[in-house]
């Protein structure tokens, strides 16, 4: 259930890698939610702080996030979803939940090139970033960036000119400026 995935992702005292280990042990966040303290102690490397966080069994915040996302037309994808990007799934500590707007590109069909840089770039740097973004996208790659002011923005602007997909990864969320 989506509420359990969001609850699990929101357990900040549980490191991302530990979440992955827990999923391997329990298979599903709903099982993790219903587990008792004794079940967690058996997990290698789990801390008391993480166990305490997992023992907070309140889904109110998770439901609030679901409701807010629905109102803002923000989509939610979990680690278990078939569309979850394989490349992201295979990193050391993949995020349990992704929030997004728009259409997820086909990550496996195209190369993905990240462009990030300074916020206070020179005019030459800004023009070069825009040119790189445009050329990379025109060659069929997906340009991905943090969308910060400066180099990031210019690379995205160049890529968008080609009408090919671009991806902005936002640390604060799709609804937070």
């Amino acid at each position: 259930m989506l509420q359990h995935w969001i609850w699990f992702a929101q357990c900040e005292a549980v490191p991302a890698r530990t979440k992955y280990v827990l999923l391997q042990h329990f298979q599903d966040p709903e099982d993790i939610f219903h587990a008792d303290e004794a079940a967690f102690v058996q997990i290698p490397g789990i801390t008391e702080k993480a166990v305490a966080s997992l023992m907070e069994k309140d889904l109110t915040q998770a439901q609030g996030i679901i409701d807010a996302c629905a109102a803002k037309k923000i989509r939610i994808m979990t680690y278990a979803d078939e569309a979850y990007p394989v490349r992201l799934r295979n990193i050391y500590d993949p995020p349990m939940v992704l929030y997004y707007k728009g259409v997820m590109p086909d990550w496996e069909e195209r190369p993905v090139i990240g462009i990030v840089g300074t916020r206070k770039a020179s005019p030459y740097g800004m023009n070069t970033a825009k040119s790189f973004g445009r050329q990379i996208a025109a060659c069929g790659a997906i340009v991905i960036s943090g969308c910060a002011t400066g180099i990031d923005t210019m690379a995205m602007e160049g890529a968008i000119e080609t009408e090919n997909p671009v991806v902005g990864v936002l640390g604060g969320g799709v609804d937070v400026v």
Side-chain angles (χ1 to χ4, degrees), residues 7 9 12 20-21 25 30 33 38 40 47 53-54 58 65 72 80-81 90 102 118 128 130 140 144-145 166:
W7 164 82
E12 293 180 9
Y20 177 76
V21 170
H25 183 80
E30 190 168 354
F33 181 83
F40 295 128
T47 65
S53 179
L54 292 165
D58 185 3
I65 290 170
K72 296 174 182 179
D81 288 331
N90 289 322
T118 185
T128 301
K130 187 170 185 175
I144 188 167
S145 173
V166 297

Side-chain angles (χ1 to χ4, degrees), residues 72-143:
K72 296 174 182 179
K73 298 185 178 161
I74 298 170
R75 296 180 179 169
I76 304 170
M77 178 185 297
T78 72
Y79 182 80
D81 288 331
E82 190 174 306
Y84 191 98
V86 173
R87 293 177 192 171
L88 189 57
R89 184 186 307 274
N90 289 322
I91 67 171
Y92 181 75
D93 55 355
M96 294 291 111
V97 177
L98 300 175
Y99 300 90
Y100 68 99
K101 280 191 158 191
V103 177
M104 277 285 186
D106 188 350
W107 299 96
E108 304 313 311
E109 292 298 316
R110 295 173 175 231
V112 179
I113 309 281
I115 301 179
V116 294
T118 185
R119 292 172 189 243
K120 296 178 182 179
S122 67
Y124 173 77
M126 299 284 267
N127 289 332
T128 301
K130 187 170 185 175
S131 177
F132 279 178
R134 184 183 314 107
Q135 291 174 29
I136 290 167
C139 290
I142 297 169
V143 174

